[in-house]
Amino acid sequence: MKLMDFITKEMIRRKRGAVAGVLCVLLGISIFVATQTTNKALYDKTKEQLLRFGANIIVQSKGEPFDIYSGSVGSAALLPEIYTQEIQSIEHSKMLIAISPKLYERFKVGTQSLLVVGITPDERKAKPWWLINNDPIVNQFPENKEVLLGQYAARRLGSSSHIELNGERFAITAVLDETGSPDDFMAFVPLKSLQSLTHKQGMVNLFEVSTSCIACKTMNVNEIAKEIDKMLHGDAQALPMKQIAEAQMATLTKVEQFTRIIYIVVLCLGAFLLMNHMSSSVANQKRDIGMLLAMGMESPKIHRIFILKGVILGLIGGFAGYFVGTGISMVLGPQIAETKVAPIVYLLPYSIGIALVIGAISSILPARKAATLDPIEALREV
Amino acid sequence: MIELRNVTKKYGDMEVVKTANLCVEKGDFVSVLGPSGSGKTTLLNIIAGLLSPTRGEVIVDGVSLYGLSLRKRAVFRRKKFGFIFQTFNLIPYLTTVENVEVPLYLAGIYKKKQKMIASELLEKVGLKDKLNRLPSQLSVGEQQRVAIARALANNPQVILADEPTGNLDSKTGKEVITYIRRLNEDGGTVLLVTHDREMASFARREIKIVDRRLL
Ligand SMILES: Nc1ncnc2c1ncn2[C@@H]1O[C@H](COP(=O)(O)OP(=O)(O)OP(=O)(O)O)[C@@H](O)[C@H]1O
Ligand SMILES: [Mg+2]
């Protein structure tokens, strides 16, 4: 026998109790890791969008604009497609590379929810990075009753030669290579097809305006946005993308604060549950502790046994919690954040550190209780 | 070797032990006989250094037990005494051999030697082939034999036994008391408290508790 044996043998031979203790910690740590991992993925995605769409402008309704980040269609206001001409007529129209009007609609395809975007051929100029098997798009651009799928949208839908939207068949022309943008989760059909499918003839949600790179240097993208604004009627406005991305970052910070509250609460709850678990463990082992004290074990040793037990439960819970949390975020992340989620290795030492602290703190009171038991009282209980 | 001088224990107004005087010499086997509730366990706990008396002194090998600090008393206890209880009090998550190793661990003996001594002791009480069983996998008689082996592990000068046969049928009870008797024949000092006249008669010297007094 050695001191550790009192802990390890009890855990091994009373597995259910040990598992319950570990679960208390695992609960908190896995939520902590899952939220941190998902948040980072969201943050990275937004940052990349900010870079990728840096110089672009979005023209959207002043009323209730379409939320391009969540992709929730809801009651987003519409704009007439012919605004393309107004945008085209600005003073520095040479600076414009492409104006792509877009209409969004969510469809149920099988069991999956799919965000479908209506686009015009101009989209090809706006998205030079769209590739199919590493080659630029040639004739796979969707025409009437055809659909082009983003990489993850295609994976989620499984292999098929067509999809059905509101009962109408759309042949799949191709699947885009991964772009690392929300496009990966969307499906693209001709604007006209989507307009007639949704009875929104001549209407769009927004216009994406791509400006040439010369514009980025010689004139501020904000100035072009202002020029566009002048040409628009009162119901629409031009926003430089950067601004939107910054607003998105602010939202992200709020989400982060919210998730922080959640995981702190869950961590505290885990600590509380572990403390309960340890207390009942002390209560159940009262006779054993009494016997050890009667045999002359010093109470500091009893104290150490229970603190160590808490620490070990925490250690296991923290270690397992990291992997469970990472697993959760990798499974759920793509569905919630519509982006790929990568494990964050540096969270492992954090998880273990936090779990150790939880284990130690939760066992302070139970351990003190065990160490100050009166052996006679403890032995009398049957 | 053990001397009680005018030991009195009160719980509130109730005197559970009344001015007890007792002397147990080295190598003696003394039984204290009394009915349930007569204060036997209380007396034994006082002698063991677990329960301080209201008045009086307990002297073991010339040392006044309750003059020692709590910590020193714990060390003293594990050096001098071996305990056998009515309810065995084996640690349920430790195997037979591990239970016997506990006092050896407390005495600071290294692991290999712990195992050796524990196995030998268990062989002596006839449990050689049950070293790795958990207490729940043993009969009550076997459990009490493990408790005896454990009480002997430290080579204690005194065995304190509280109703060691109370939970056993009369046949296993006699087996167990025979082990205790043999212990005494090998030179150990034994103090046994019981309400069982027959068990008490195994001792060299019998003391009765009448009206909370030792006679
Ligand atoms: N902590 C306590 N507080 C109050 N009274 C107590 C306490 N402990 C024991 N007693 C009382 O002291 C008396 C003696 O108890 P003790 O356990 O010593 O009896 P016993 O002779 O060992 O009995 P048994 O044969 O049933 O084990 C009993 O009346 C009991 O109720
Ligand atoms: Mg008793």
Side-chain angles (χ1 to χ4, degrees), chain A residues 64-375:
Chain A
E64 187 166 351
F66 174 71
D67 180 351
I68 50 166
Y69 291 99
S70 74
S72 69
V73 177
S75 57
L78 298 171
L79 294 172
E81 187 184 342
I82 45 163
Y83 278 14
T84 316
Q85 290 159 22
E86 265 104 28
I87 299 168
Q88 198 80 61
S89 62
I90 61 166
E91 192 188 337
H92 292 92
S93 60
K94 283 192 309 259
M95 303 289 184
L96 303 178
I97 296 173
I99 303 168
S100 33
K102 284 185 167 166
L103 181 64
Y104 294 84
E105 188 64 46
R106 241 177 220 290
F107 288 92
K108 208 110 188 114
V109 178
T111 57
Q112 304 283 344
S113 158
L114 182 67
L115 187 59
V116 177
V117 193
I119 53 172
T120 61
D122 236 20
E123 187 78 7
R124 249 187 300 188
K125 280 192 262 168
K127 302 268 174 76
W129 57 82
W130 273 11
L131 299 175
I132 293 165
N133 294 329
N134 274 326
D135 291 322
I137 300 173
V138 192
N139 51 10
Q140 301 97 325
F141 207 77
E143 286 168 26
N144 196 29
K145 300 284 169 183
E146 286 179 342
V147 61
L148 183 63
L149 291 180
Q151 185 72 37
Y152 290 115
R155 277 191 216 168
R156 284 210 304 215
L157 294 171
S159 58
S160 172
S161 62
H162 67 276
I163 57 173
E164 274 195 13
L165 304 176
N166 274 8
E168 285 195 38
R169 223 175 141 95
F170 283 75
I172 298 171
T173 58
V175 175
L176 290 171
D177 292 355
E178 197 175 331
T179 63
S181 74
D183 294 350
D184 291 344
F185 295 87
M186 299 175 185
F188 302 90
V189 298
L191 181 59
K192 288 271 172 305
S193 302
L194 190 59
Q195 284 172 336
S196 68
L197 201 59
T198 57
H199 308 294
K200 293 175 180 168
Q201 273 84 358
M203 303 305 279
V204 297
N205 287 111
L206 52 85
F207 301 84
E208 274 180 11
V209 182
S210 309
T211 54
S212 71
C213 261
I214 303 158
C216 320
K217 284 177 189 163
T218 58
M219 61 189 294
N220 193 313
V221 75
N222 290 325
E223 288 171 44
I224 296 190
K226 266 184 215 142
E227 277 185 26
I228 295 174
D229 254 344
K230 251 183 269 164
M231 304 310 295
L232 291 171
H233 308 272
D235 59 343
Q237 58 183 343
L239 294 172
M241 234 345 208
K242 218 175 135 196
Q243 210 169 305
I244 295 172
E246 276 165 2
Q248 178 68 7
M249 281 296 190
T251 317
L252 217 60
T253 314
K254 276 193 203 117
V255 170
E256 242 170 46
Q257 285 165 349
F258 178 65
T259 52
R260 187 177 310 144
I261 293 171
I262 289 182
Y263 72 68
I264 287 176
V265 167
V266 180
L267 282 173
C268 291
L269 180 74
F272 177 75
L273 289 177
L274 183 62
M275 190 165 91
N276 256 344
H277 173 78
M278 293 290 295
S279 292
S280 66
S281 162
V282 168
N284 290 335
Q285 283 177 254
K286 235 173 163 176
R287 287 184 71 82
D288 312 345
I289 298 164
M291 190 59 208
L292 290 172
L293 286 168
M295 283 193 286
M297 184 181 268
E298 295 104 323
S299 49
K301 256 187 192 160
I302 303 267
H303 193 262
R304 213 177 317 151
I305 287 175
F306 281 93
I307 294 281
L308 268 173
K309 184 178 167 186
V311 165
I312 290 171
L313 290 175
L315 201 73
I316 301 171
F319 193 78
Y322 170 78
F323 291 100
V324 171
T326 302
I328 290 174
S329 59
M330 286 175 78
V331 171
L332 293 183
Q335 287 169 33
I336 296 166
E338 303 215 326
T339 183
K340 262 208 308 189
V341 176
I344 307 175
V345 178
Y346 70 75
L347 281 181
L348 181 58
Y350 274 96
S351 303
I352 290 177
I354 295 171
L356 280 184
V357 172
I358 290 179
I361 289 180
S362 306
S363 46
I364 287 175
L365 286 179
R368 184 175 305 165
K369 179 126 195 266
T372 53
L373 274 182
D374 175 1

Side-chain angles (χ1 to χ4, degrees), chain B residues 36-37 39-42 86 162-163 193:
Chain B
S36 178
K40 302 183 298 291
T41 299
T42 307
Q86 177 175 1
D162 185 356
E163 213 80 80
V193 304

